[in-house]
Structures are given as C-alpha cells and as structure tokens.
C-alpha cells in the first residue's frame, strides 16, 4: 500500500492531517524479476505549499504537500525550478498515475527481463524524476520517469549511442515487457530529456559503474 500524509494549516498553524491510501497489490503482482522496494519520502519537493481553492483529487492527494486553508496567508516557498535543458527526440508513454518510485521499479524489472544492464539515479528538482541508464547489447539509452505539468507521470526513452534500428528493437522489447497498462498513451511530441546530475545514494558514479554508457 502507498500512504501519503499532508498537513493542513490555517494561517500557519496545524489543524489536522490529510491521509491518502492507495492499494498497489495488483501493480506489484505485475513484476517478474525484481522485488518491489520500500521507500519513505520526506524530500523538500514534498513540502511545497498548496491552497484549498481546488478540488482535492486522488492524484493530487497522492503527492504530499503542505495545505493552507487561509487564501491570504503566504505559502511555503517553492523549490527553485531546474535550468532549461536542450530539446531532443524521445520515445515513451505518458498520462501515468502511479508513483515514480514504482514506475522506476517496473522499468528496472522490464530491463532485467530483456537482459539489459541498468542503473538508477534519483534527482529531485521542481518535480521529481528518476533516471535509469541502461545498455542492451551495443545500444546505450536513458529512461526518464518524470512528473508532467498536469501532475501525471511519463516514461521517456532517449538513445545515447548505438545503432538506431537496434535501439528501436530494444524499445519495442521494453514496451512489451512493461505491458499495455503502462504503454497505452504514447508520447506525441518532443520534450525535455534532462541528463542525471549524480548517482543514487550509495552507488558508484555512473562513469565508473557503467563506462560504456558515457557517450560523447
């Protein structure tokens, strides 16, 4: 289960907590190669301030925030947005409502099933994203799980090196391994693909762990 807890304030004073529980039993059952990881999020991104002037949907309640009931009281300062990144072509899927940690686990599970090497690196900015650097045969690619402007999540893939046809073959294998539930809404346009800023906690730097993935 996924439990999200958000404090509700009035003029900066705590009134109560809003809890949202999601049942992930079915989604966990879709994983074949990996055991789902447990996690607890208390990052700065999830301390952003929000007002109660909009309906509280299950999608918004799934993302912890600090809610302010007084429309005139100042909100918690928002994290600074990341610098703009160059545009590049990407393949993938969007309109996903599952948590990014679970989506990253599903991507890792799918990559394991197609015999690809991979490494995770989490990055927190104005929106949360998880970068998966992977290599399948001679193809190196980056898979990015990121939050979209409307609150949904997307999975996007970009080729770093290797033959284009081999990359598309690996992408089709990844799509089949992820299943139709996660791949029914393909990306329709170009978008930002941001390179990772560092390795996950406790992991070797990417250049040392997977030297074949550092393409010029």
């Amino acid at each position: 289960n996924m439990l999200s807890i958000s404090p509700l304030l009035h003029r900066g004073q705590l009134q109560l907590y809003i809890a949202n529980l999601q049942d992930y039993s079915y989604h966990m059952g879709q994983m074949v190669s990996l055991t789902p990881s447990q996690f607890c999020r208390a990052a700065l991104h999830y301390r952003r301030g929000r007002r109660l002037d909009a309906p509280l949907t299950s999608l918004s309640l799934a993302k912890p925030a600090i809610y302010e009931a007084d429309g005139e009281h100042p909100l918690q300062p928002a994290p600074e947005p990341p610098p703009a990144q160059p545009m590049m072509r990407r393949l993938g899927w969007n309109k996903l409502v599952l948590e990014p940690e679970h989506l990253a686990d599903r991507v890792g599970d799918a990559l394991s099933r197609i015999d690809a090497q991979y490494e995770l690196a989490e990055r927190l900015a104005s929106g949360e994203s998880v970068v998966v650097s992977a290599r399948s045969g001679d193809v190196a690619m980056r898979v990015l799980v990121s939050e979209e402007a409307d609150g949904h999540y997307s999975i996007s893939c970009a080729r770093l090196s290797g033959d284009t046809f081999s990359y598309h073959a690996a992408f089709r294998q990844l799509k089949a391994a992820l299943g139709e539930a996660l791949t029914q809404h393909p990306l329709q346009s170009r978008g930002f693909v941001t390179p990772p800023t560092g390795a996950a906690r406790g992991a070797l730097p990417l250049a040392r762990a997977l030297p074949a993935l550092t393409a010029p």
Side-chain angles (χ1 to χ4, degrees), residues 2 24 49 68 70-71 86 89 95 118 140-141 147 156 158 181 190:
M2 190 79 63
Y24 267 49
E68 174 58 57
D70 190 320
R89 180 69 63 182
K95 300 182 181 179
Y118 71 94
M141 60 182 176
E147 183 179 3
S156 60
R190 297 162 66 91

Side-chain angles (χ1 to χ4, degrees), residues 98-156:
L98 302 178
E99 302 294 328
E101 291 87 353
H102 174 69
L103 291 174
D105 281 344
R106 290 286 294 273
V107 169
D109 178 76
L111 289 170
S112 296
R113 290 163 62 187
I114 65 174
D115 297 323
Q117 297 175 298
Y118 71 94
E119 182 181 78
L120 300 178
E122 184 176 15
R123 182 185 69 258
L124 297 176
S126 63
E128 186 172 50
S129 61
V130 182
V131 179
V132 184
S133 297
R135 181 160 62 89
S136 178
D138 295 330
V139 175
M141 60 182 176
R142 181 176 296 128
V143 185
L144 178 66
V145 179
S146 59
E147 183 179 3
E148 299 185 302
D150 63 358
H152 291 82
Y153 292 97
S154 66
I155 300 174
S156 60

Side-chain angles (χ1 to χ4, degrees), residues 16-196:
L16 53 88
Y17 288 95
I18 305 173
N20 182 70
L21 182 65
Q22 303 172 83
D23 185 357
Y24 267 49
S25 302
Y26 169 77
H27 300 291
M28 295 300 182
Q30 306 303 304
M31 300 182 68
V32 176
S33 302
L34 299 182
T35 300
S37 59
Q38 296 184 357
F39 58 89
C40 177
R41 295 182 302 190
L44 179 62
H45 173 64
Y46 290 100
R47 301 173 194 172
R48 55 189 168 185
R50 287 180 176 168
R51 299 199 184 277
L52 291 177
D53 55 358
L56 296 179
T57 65
S58 58
L59 180 61
S60 63
L61 288 176
K63 302 172 184 180
I66 300 177
Y67 287 93
E68 174 58 57
D70 190 320
E72 298 181 355
H73 192 78
L75 295 175
Q76 294 283 334
E80 294 184 2
Q85 299 294 329
M87 301 284 282
M88 65 186 297
R89 180 69 63 182
R90 60 176 183 169
L91 301 173
W93 312 275
N94 58 6
K95 300 182 181 179
L96 303 172
V97 298
L98 302 178
E99 302 294 328
E101 291 87 353
H102 174 69
L103 291 174
D105 281 344
R106 290 286 294 273
V107 169
D109 178 76
L111 289 170
S112 296
R113 290 163 62 187
I114 65 174
D115 297 323
Q117 297 175 298
Y118 71 94
E119 182 181 78
L120 300 178
E122 184 176 15
R123 182 185 69 258
L124 297 176
S126 63
E128 186 172 50
S129 61
V130 182
V131 179
V132 184
S133 297
R135 181 160 62 89
S136 178
D138 295 330
V139 175
M141 60 182 176
R142 181 176 296 128
V143 185
L144 178 66
V145 179
S146 59
E147 183 179 3
E148 299 185 302
D150 63 358
H152 291 82
Y153 292 97
S154 66
I155 300 174
S156 60
C157 306
R159 179 176 63 93
L160 300 181
S161 65
D163 178 71
T164 301
F165 293 101
S166 298
Y167 165 67
H168 282 272
F171 176 80
R172 288 192 294 270
Q173 287 182 303
L174 176 63
K175 177 181 179 181
L178 285 172
E180 184 178 356
L182 296 184
T183 60
Q184 57 182 319
H185 299 292
L187 292 173
Q188 300 294 332
S189 61
R190 297 162 66 91
F192 290 114
V193 176
T194 309

